[in-house]
Amino acid sequence: MTITFGSALIPMTIKIKRKQWPLHMILIGSFLLVMISIVSAFILLINHHYQFLYEEKGRQLTHAFNRHVHAEIENLLTEPMLFNQFFRSHLQEEFLFQHADLSSIETLQQSLFQEYVPYIPQVSVLSYGDEQGRYAGIRRNQDGTTNIMIKDQRTKDALVIFEGNQITSRQRLVMEDYDLHLRPFYQPLQDHPVPSWSSLYVNQDERMEVTVTHMLPFFDTEAQFAGVSAVDVSLYGLQEHLRKDEILRSGGGVIYVVDHQWNLVAHSGQEPWIHVKDETGELIFEKATTINHPLINHSAKHMIHQEVRAGEAFSVAHPTTPYYAIYAPLTDKHLPPWQVIVALPEESLMGAVKEQQHHTLYLVLGLILLVTGLSLWFLKRIVTPIQQTSKAAKKIAAGHWNVDLPATRSIVTETHQLLTSFQQMMVSLQQSFEKLENSKQQYQDLFNDKSEELKRAMSELIDREKLASLGGLVAGVSHEINTPLGTSISSVSYISHQTEKVLRQLEDSRLTEEGLYGYFHDLQESLKLLENNLERSAHLVNSFKEIAVNQNIESPQSFQLKTLINNVILSLRHEYKHQQHQFQVDCPEDLWIHSYPGVYSQILTNLVMNSIIHGLSDHSSGLITIKAAIKHGTLQIVYGDNGSGLTEEVKKNIFEPFFTTKRGKGSSGLGMSIVHNLVTQKLKGSIRCNGQVSQGVLFHIEAPVQHT
């Protein structure tokens, strides 16, 4: 482009030259841009789909599991309540409490306990107490045996706990000052004789078991309060019942029960939550917001601070364990005023969905890499002849007429025809110049005696003929190259425009499945148009004999080794972000070498991934060491980890292609084979492996390099 500034005194002309780019950079760059856009769009779609599944599944499963847990806990408490009502009905109908002693009640308790309690194992004690201070009870031990507990005239008004279920068995514990009327399962009904549940308390016996009791009053013939029938439910039994849910054992979820003050009643974890203060039996409850259980602690604080509504599932983006939670009170008004909270982490809800998505992503990336490799190979076959023909034309323009193009038969008909025509033009041009030279010599011999002016005119005429022929040749070549090239660049521009349009739709959440398929259809048509026009370039010279890869086209360059090592470790952070693996790099800061940085990056990447997947798979925190130094003109790298180590069989076959210890688990067995080939073939070095079971592994790499 030319810009001219002028005035009456000083005219000025400035020529601005547009920057030009090589053909292979334009084509390969455009193709890689399209591939990167496709991969980015696919990754965004996968992440969006995963988040959608997590939210839908989280709400549904949390609601369903909450209903299931509520039903179990309500059933756990309702069965003892019904059992107590059945026991009280016998007492009330037959007036057994009017007998002189409690032997008839004792017999009834043993009969009911033997018949029904095996089906309601949460019941620990069935008891009776009356206004006379008498007491009869039967309790079950963890080994399945039972003890009777009697306080009447037969025990001289002392509470006696017997070893067996008969009053004739050996006495286990005698309590002389046992006052029934002060116990938590009796005293509330004296003031308000209605069916109810006691507060939590400790049984006043040698077991000191934390208990909640269902209490029922019964009345004498004059409708006066006569006593209480009671059924004890052990909180430790409730705790064990909560721990039986399979989804909690497999995924780390938790169920916990609290009262109206957020004191923990029971939970499915292992942490203690109830402490007995002293021999008086006073209880100290751990609050849900203070217990040393991260999921209980965090979810309780979240619900209190955010004022979450009961019965509504909500998600929490916890920094380390995202989860869904829901809380709701027990629905039966006859049950204790407890609230049940269910918290299910993402791992429990999603299972192997993320892993399956990763496998799909790896498969798609593999296919894209394959397509990319084939496309680059094809583009190389198209671009290389164009470049060589352009160089030949440049040499001809410089006056080097004897330029030979490689005699390569192109697979593209138009390209082959154009290349053949160009070669024929070169031959014709050479023949024309030879004829001109012969004619010149003839004219010089014929007019040798003529004046110097005639000789100069003849020489100028010949030079003009040369320039005219050369100009025609260059114009023809330029026309043949520019026409298909312009169409190809337009196709690339259209592909870029469509890609930007689809990305905007994806960012605005307007991209539909039909739109995405339409985009791929347009992309396919544009690529086909690009392929056809590049084939018309007609300047193919050589054909590749093997697929080009980055290591083959990479040229040696100087780089800082420690910076490269740190960049590889940083790029793999996502592979070990859920573990606490440490890296120890021992490499001089000033170590610069002249070699292939891409090859070293691939070697270190495969070694680190081998450690994470195999050596440290069972370790939450491992150590990986990388030492590098120049000795006697040779780069020596020692790579190691403190993982599970190697058996002799693995050490013997570790560099064999397709050898892996995790067949069927996503491992191809090619990683270490690739490392061996890169070290020995590309770097002209050597690698050896040492290691024993449970003692980690060491790789020693030596390669000749130019130290800069």
Side-chain angles (χ1 to χ4, degrees), residues 377-389 391 404-412 415 419 423 538-546:
W377 169 78
F378 186 75
L379 289 175
K380 188 70 174 179
R381 295 193 59 173
I382 295 175
V383 170
T384 299
I386 296 175
Q387 292 175 329
Q388 293 179 345
T389 305
K391 292 179 181 178
D404 294 328
L405 289 176
T408 303
R409 181 174 179 82
S410 174
I411 61 174
V412 182
T415 303
L419 185 60
Q423 291 173 333
H539 290 284
L540 282 174
V541 176
N542 292 328
S543 62
F544 273 159
K545 291 187 169 64
E546 58 182 352

Side-chain angles (χ1 to χ4, degrees), residues 262-274:
W262 288 89
N263 294 316
L264 275 171
V265 176
H267 67 90
S268 60
Q270 301 294 332
E271 291 77 7
W273 81 104
I274 299 177

Side-chain angles (χ1 to χ4, degrees), residues 63 302-304 306-314 325-329 339:
H63 273 292
H302 181 85
M303 285 184 284
I304 293 174
Q306 300 297 328
E307 297 182 355
V308 179
R309 291 187 299 176
E312 180 178 331
F314 60 92
I326 188 172
Y327 89 101
Q339 298 181 92

Side-chain angles (χ1 to χ4, degrees), residues 403-575:
V403 177
D404 294 328
L405 289 176
T408 303
R409 181 174 179 82
S410 174
I411 61 174
V412 182
T413 303
E414 290 79 1
T415 303
H416 178 72
Q417 291 175 352
L418 184 59
L419 185 60
T420 303
S421 300
F422 186 82
Q423 291 173 333
Q424 292 175 352
M425 289 171 58
M426 290 176 56
V427 173
S428 299
L429 186 61
Q430 290 175 359
Q431 292 175 353
S432 298
F433 280 122
E434 289 176 359
K435 291 180 180 179
L436 287 174
E437 290 293 335
N438 293 333
S439 299
K440 178 182 178 181
Q441 187 63 40
Q442 292 175 1
Y443 289 141
Q444 286 178 350
D445 293 340
L446 181 62
F447 300 102
N448 192 34
D449 55 345
K450 299 297 181 180
S451 64
E452 292 295 325
E453 183 179 356
L454 182 59
K455 292 181 180 180
R456 287 195 299 271
M458 181 62 70
S459 177
E460 291 176 0
L461 179 60
I462 294 174
D463 290 338
R464 284 196 297 270
E465 287 287 338
K466 291 181 179 179
L467 292 176
S469 299
L470 179 60
L473 175 62
V474 172
V477 172
S478 299
H479 176 75
E480 291 298 328
I481 291 177
N482 288 335
T483 299
L485 216 57
T487 304
S488 299
I489 293 174
S490 298
S491 298
V492 171
S493 176
Y494 175 75
I495 292 174
S496 178
H497 173 74
Q498 290 299 103
T499 300
E500 292 177 0
K501 178 180 177 182
V502 170
L503 285 176
R504 287 195 300 271
Q505 291 178 349
L506 179 62
E507 292 172 354
D508 297 337
S509 299
R510 294 183 294 105
L511 181 61
T512 63
E513 183 179 2
E514 181 180 357
L516 185 60
Y517 277 114
Y519 165 71
F520 282 123
H521 176 74
D522 292 342
L523 178 62
Q524 184 180 19
E525 293 295 326
S526 298
L527 289 175
K528 185 179 296 182
L529 179 62
L530 176 64
E531 175 184 346
N532 292 335
N533 279 276
L534 289 176
E535 288 174 351
R536 290 179 54 227
S537 298
H539 290 284
L540 282 174
V541 176
N542 292 328
S543 62
F544 273 159
K545 291 187 169 64
E546 58 182 352
I547 296 176
V549 296
N550 288 337
Q551 286 71 25
N552 290 335
I553 63 176
E554 183 184 30
S555 58
Q557 56 183 286
S558 296
F559 60 94
Q560 189 178 21
L561 184 59
K562 187 170 184 178
T563 299
L564 183 141
I565 295 173
N566 290 334
N567 288 340
V568 170
I569 294 173
L570 182 61
S571 68
L572 296 176
R573 178 72 181 100
H574 64 283
E575 297 290 347

Side-chain angles (χ1 to χ4, degrees), residues 170-189:
R170 189 167 64 90
Q171 295 180 355
R172 184 170 184 169
L173 178 66
V174 178
M175 303 173 64
E176 297 288 349
D177 56 349
Y178 182 79
D179 189 351
L180 172 68
H181 300 132
L182 299 179
R183 297 303 295 152
F185 68 88
Y186 192 94
Q187 187 177 18
L189 265 65

